[in-house]
Amino acid sequence: MSSSQPLPDPGSEPDHRYLLDNARVEAGERFTWLAELFDGVTRGHFDRLGVKAGWRCWEVGAGGPSIPEALATAVGPTGYVLATDINPAWLDPHGAYEVLRHDIVGDPPPQPGTFDLVHARLVLVHVPDRARALATMVAALRPGGWLLVEDADTELQPLACLDEVGPAQQRANRLRRAVRELMTRRGADLRYGRTLPRALRAAGLADVTAAGCFPVGGVACDRLESATVRMVRAELLAAGLANDAEIDAHLAAIDAGELDLTLAPLISAWGRRPG
């Protein structure tokens, strides 16, 4: 989205175009640092659910290649991994997994009723019809198969800097509020993470369980914040939510290591399709 395209008025219908577009060069940076922050958490859930050789797995809204690669390693040559995204440009078409362009809301489930595991991370919070997306994923499961959904709850912890000790931290928190405002205008549900256990039960799943992860500080949080702010800079300016001086000062403070940046909690919930 260019700065010549104004965002809709907050009172109008939400604009459901994805704010953090895979087509942007910063998307690759974001995938790298999200993997650094959360792949260990996600792989731990795969282990908990018993992912093993021979399993069939669908990675929904894969974004980058790290999770499809991890699943392909876990299921081995006797298993199968499908990685889909509305824009699969960052996935490896020659990897040990199949790549397919797929819209989780608009398209039917691929290979319905056949997957041992369906997984989506940081996808549904941005999707306009989340219930339909969940139904599509559930329909892809075999009886007894597991759905694992991981999403942020930005309202649960809305700050960039928990320790707001000075102007740099205050500025970081103002800019985090501005990015949250952009996401809300695009139709994101910033409270979605907390609803996951209820949503999975409503989708007909059994044995629903959830856990949370809350990264606080470190290089990965810094680099993710920098990539995100650079990615949405034009939209922040166009919406009048920040100015160039604020953004430049924030990016400089990140580069100087002056901020202990944090993220919203990632809430992971899983449930089994009854057999």
Side-chain angles (χ1 to χ4, degrees):
M1 178 177 177
S2 73
S3 58
S4 62
Q5 295 174 286
L7 285 165
D9 181 85
S12 68
E13 285 297 307
D15 176 354
H16 288 300
R17 288 170 295 172
Y18 185 33
L19 180 65
L20 303 171
D21 190 344
N22 285 8
R24 301 285 288 272
V25 66
E26 294 91 351
E29 295 178 61
R30 282 180 44 80
F31 295 147
T32 295
W33 297 113
L34 285 169
E36 178 73 19
L37 286 161
F38 294 126
D39 276 12
V41 174
T42 298
R43 289 195 306 268
H45 294 316
F46 292 162
D47 292 343
R48 181 177 291 109
L49 297 178
V51 177
K52 62 182 183 294
W55 272 37
R56 292 173 52 82
C57 303
W58 176 20
E59 178 66 15
V60 178
S66 65
I67 290 299
E69 289 171 355
L71 283 171
T73 298
V75 305
T78 61
Y80 168 73
V81 175
L82 173 65
T84 64
D85 202 288
I86 199 166
N87 178 359
W90 296 95
L91 298 171
D92 181 0
H94 308 295
Y97 53 90
E98 183 177 356
V99 177
L100 179 68
R101 185 183 302 274
H102 183 269
D103 179 350
I104 189 58
V105 172
D107 296 334
Q111 306 163 35
T114 67
F115 287 98
D116 299 285
L117 173 76
V118 176
H119 172 246
R121 186 177 72 192
L122 298 172
V123 174
L124 296 191
V125 67
H126 302 284
V127 169
D129 192 342
R130 298 169 187 92
R132 183 174 178 182
L134 272 177
T136 297
M137 291 190 282
V138 170
L141 292 169
R142 66 163 177 79
W146 289 94
L147 174 63
L148 169 62
V149 180
E150 303 182 279
D151 251 308
D153 192 313
T154 310
E155 288 286 351
L156 196 60
Q157 196 301 99
L159 300 176
C161 292
L162 299 175
D163 189 19
E164 197 179 76
V165 294
Q169 290 77 17
Q170 293 165 1
R171 180 177 57 237
N173 286 338
R174 282 198 307 275
L175 286 170
R176 179 66 59 85
R177 287 193 295 272
V179 174
R180 290 171 56 228
E181 173 63 21
L182 285 180
M183 292 177 66
T184 300
R185 295 186 191 188
R186 295 296 183 96
D189 180 355
L190 303 186
R191 298 164 55 91
Y192 186 62
R194 74 190 70 182
T195 73
L196 283 173
R198 174 165 50 88
L200 266 56
R201 288 193 300 270
L205 299 182
D207 302 327
V208 173
T209 311
C213 171
F214 182 20
V216 179
V219 171
C221 285
D222 289 353
R223 299 275 65 84
L224 179 64
E225 172 78 359
S226 177
T228 302
V229 170
R230 286 184 280 110
M231 180 179 253
V232 302
R233 180 177 191 135
E235 286 82 358
L236 288 169
L237 296 173
L241 293 169
N243 60 50
D244 277 316
E246 284 181 294
I247 295 172
D248 288 342
H250 181 51
L251 293 172
I254 296 171
D255 289 343
E258 296 173 1
L259 304 172
D260 295 306
L261 291 164
T262 187
L263 301 176
L266 181 75
I267 297 178
S268 307
W270 55 94
R272 179 180 55 80
R273 182 175 183 178

